[in-house]
Amino acid sequence: MKFRTFAIFVGPSVFMMLLFIAFPLISVFKQSFYVTQPVYDQVTVETCTPGFLKQICTSEVKSQPRLDANGAPVTQTRFVGLQSYRNVLEPDRAWAALSRWDLSTLLTIDFWKALRFTVMFTLVTLPLVLVTGLAIAVAVNNATKSLRGPLIFVSLLPFIITPVIGALSIRWLFIGDGIMTAFLEWALGHNISVFANAWAIEALMYFYRVWHVAPFAFVIFYAGLQTVNQDTLESAIIDGASRWQRLRYVVIPHLMPLIVFVSLIHLMDSYRVFDEIVGFASQAYVISLQWLTYDLLTPDDSGTRAISRASASAMLTMIGIVILLIPLLRKTWRDHKSQVH
Amino acid sequence: MSGPRALQQPLSLKIGSSAFLIFWCLVAAFPIFWIAVMSFKSPIDAFSSNPLNVIFGPQTRAAGRGLSALDIALGGAVVYAAARLSMGWLGRQVRALAPMGQIWLGWVIGAAAFALGFVIVFFGILPMVLNVLDPLAGPFGRDIIGLTTENYRAVWIDRGFSRNFVNSLIVTTGVVTVSLTVGTLAGYGLARSGSNLAFWLLIVALIFRALPHSVLVAGYLPVFINSAEILRPIMGDAAPTLYGKPFAVIAVLVAINQPFTIWMLRSFFQNIPRELDEAARVDGCSHFQAFRLVIMPVMWPGVITTGLFSFLLGYNDFLVTSLLLDASNQTMVPAIAGMFNRETTTTDQVQAVAAAVSITAPLFLLVMVFQRQIVSGLTAGAVKG
């Protein structure tokens, strides 16, 4: 294919990605070093109150926003360097807390709180998703042929459901006297209130994510199981391998590329954890990095959006993504090099 | 399978495996099933601490809204008949009546007509017939399960959820059409070009796929809010404010989805043998003619699958739509988030549940119809790596 034809085919897509992905990235990077604020003028105002014989006049200096001809406040943008990053990271407080090994103080700072949850969320859910997905795949593969279709259908439901709605539906099972709370109260014999405990909410969020992603892992592993070499399995049986050994030494090595694939996708996706925070309304207890940026972008009570702080937090989130991707990129690069030579 | 004796499973393993599957299906389906049940009950029943009250809804029944055994039997029969008809008869009719080569159009029209007919029979004629029959049926005509559609009426009509539905429809239709058009071209180009540039484009797309969406929105937001001023030198007074415009959101979602779309379509195109378009080229077609005349007729499975995933992205999105659209043209998912933020009474909560079920219902149908495509789409990406 000639370069010109290739360019015409790929052009629109590349244009969209440049305009809506690459360009915003650059602009976020720039924004994070600037702050846009309304301009305030120092005005000396003299207020006089009528008094006997002589008026009592006081003059005070007030700052008021400068308005343009249309009555809209004039804003100015100025370069602040790393100030926005400092506002997000609060390095002085963080360092002071760290040097005292006082983690609870460190976790009162929004960014570190969000980072703690995001990293833990990613690391805790990953093995759970892999194990659950694999278990479902093996069990479905074991089931009667006629049952497999309905089983796959039911399994796909948690995956396909809108994430916010999925999180909500699980929340409604537990909220107030919801069925699960009622069940737990009956089983444990005392009153519990799930949504008053930060750890319980967090556990529910882990559970939701595993519930949501396990079907994806299942479908992929299930497809992989169909291509397991039957001869290898048979020779393993002849060699006297137990069921567990066959799974461990034949099936799992065969699935290894798929396990790596699922892990990668899951790492990328769970690092961006966001919908759970909205669905479980957990912002008072648990927040994630992406939610932090989202929160800074939503207008506060006075209607202003903290764009520069949001940009700084977005850039900090990016660093995590880069760290996640480096091993993947290095591997792809090596594969590509070996293909060329 | 060979070696039946060696592969035969001990009973304990069989039981364990089935028990695990039953448990998983329960966990997978229960939350969805339960909110569906809740949404049809009056608030007191829906949030009752006794699960039996939630299922049978005594308060709802006391309010005079319920189903008798006869209602359930007849309703079930209608649903069963409709399901049987849609599996067999509908397909035959479509194949018989649709003009050649336009079979998909026939399916669209046939499915729409069938759905309309079902709605008329199920919600129009059936209740009238049952109103007459119930008093005649004695004990079988008495209500046993409370059921009310009041919550749905409140959400869709009083709360204007239908407007959100239309907005969702606009956004998802836009996202699916544009991202498929742009993505198919790019996917084809990438699949047929072995150049280094194509490789690097795919790698950059992979990096873009990993970006958190809030990072990108932080880039759009200031530009979109001030776009009227920024674009004025170029477009004059017609310069639009992009903030709050559905088409701007469509463009954003298409771009966000593009990396995934081109990866997936590329892997589908690689499965279409190169010889096909090479033969067309030998016969004197240009690349575009080869694409249009030879590739397009055989690429539909891949396109449908990718379209499904684009649909899911547009339909399920919360972050982008909630930040870039204002309250007047909000889509369904952010609208429901606004609904449960002011959940003060149980009535509000049940209405939020009904809204949630309304959002889920189309997805449920989607899995029913396109299960195979979804599975093949999920695996296509994985196998190619």
Side-chain angles (χ1 to χ4, degrees), chain A residues 207-224:
Chain A
F207 169 77
Y208 161 74
R209 185 48 79 111
V210 175
W211 180 77
H212 178 60
V213 187
F216 166 69
F218 149 62
V219 167
I220 287 177
F221 293 153
Y222 179 69

Side-chain angles (χ1 to χ4, degrees), chain B residues 1 4 27 39 59 78 102 146 225 271 275 277 322-323 342 355:
Chain B
M1 285 220 203
V27 170
S39 70
Q59 297 287 335
V78 170
Q102 307 282 287
I225 291 174
N271 284 343
E275 288 75 26
D277 34 334
S322 77
L323 280 175
R342 13 158 237 227

Side-chain angles (χ1 to χ4, degrees), chain B residues 1-314:
Chain B
M1 285 220 203
S2 50
R5 287 231 5 217
L7 281 179
Q8 217 155 49
Q9 298 174 341
L11 190 65
S12 59
L13 189 70
K14 263 187 195 162
I15 293 175
S17 156
S18 331
F20 174 72
L21 270 185
I22 293 170
F23 175 70
W24 160 249
C25 287
L26 213 65
V27 170
F30 184 73
I32 302 167
F33 165 76
W34 197 248
I35 60 169
V37 170
M38 279 167 82
S39 70
F40 285 107
K41 298 292 155 31
S42 71
I44 301 174
D45 283 334
F47 285 97
S48 164
S49 58
N50 182 353
L52 287 178
N53 282 351
V54 183
I55 292 175
F56 291 108
Q59 297 287 335
T60 321
R61 210 164 59 214
R65 295 165 193 282
L67 289 179
S68 64
L70 184 72
D71 296 347
I72 297 171
L74 272 181
V78 170
V79 170
Y80 180 73
R84 287 301 298 269
L85 276 180
S86 69
M87 295 294 168
W89 176 79
L90 184 66
R92 280 196 300 279
Q93 289 296 311
V94 165
R95 270 190 290 278
L97 293 177
M100 274 311 289
Q102 307 282 287
I103 201 103
W104 63 274
L105 190 69
W107 269 111
V108 170
I109 296 173
F114 191 80
L116 189 70
F118 177 76
V119 166
I120 290 174
V121 171
F122 195 78
F123 294 104
I125 299 174
L126 196 65
M128 277 197 283
V129 175
L130 286 171
N131 270 342
V132 180
L133 284 183
D134 268 344
L136 304 176
F140 296 108
R142 219 163 325 122
D143 291 350
I144 52 166
I145 287 186
L147 183 135
T148 171
T149 51
E150 202 183 333
N151 304 319
Y152 287 93
R153 196 170 307 136
V155 167
W156 280 83
I157 296 167
D158 305 343
R159 293 214 176 192
F161 205 60
S162 46
R163 205 183 54 231
N164 302 125
F165 176 73
V166 172
N167 291 327
S168 272
L169 209 63
I170 295 173
V171 170
T172 39
T173 321
V175 169
V176 172
T177 6
V178 180
S179 77
L180 282 185
T181 320
V182 176
T184 353
L185 289 174
Y188 177 72
L190 290 169
R192 290 296 182 261
S193 157
S195 68
N196 258 336
L197 184 66
F199 170 78
W200 285 115
L201 271 179
L202 284 167
I203 292 302
V204 171
L206 190 71
I207 298 174
F208 283 167
R209 192 204 171 278
L211 291 181
H213 300 169
S214 63
V215 174
L216 300 174
V217 178
Y220 307 134
L221 207 54
V223 180
F224 277 20
I225 291 174
N226 300 322
S227 67
E229 283 160 41
I230 297 170
L231 292 174
R232 188 155 295 141
I234 312 167
M235 298 173 64
D237 282 338
T241 301
L242 292 173
Y243 174 76
K245 294 283 188 302
F247 70 83
V249 170
I250 292 174
V252 166
L253 285 176
V254 167
I256 288 179
N257 200 21
Q258 215 34 229
F260 175 75
T261 315
I262 58 178
W263 266 91
M264 195 163 204
L265 281 168
R266 173 179 161 271
S267 75
F268 274 110
F269 280 125
Q270 276 182 335
N271 284 343
I272 298 176
R274 247 169 211 274
E275 288 75 26
L276 213 60
D277 34 334
E278 268 161 22
R281 298 266 288 142
V282 171
D283 288 348
C285 283
S286 72
H287 262 294
F288 290 97
Q289 282 169 327
F291 177 73
R292 205 167 61 83
L293 300 172
V294 180
I295 300 297
M296 265 177 74
V298 293
M299 73 179 185
W300 288 113
V303 169
I304 288 174
T305 308
T306 318
L308 275 174
F309 283 89
S310 304
F311 172 86
L312 284 180
L313 177 103

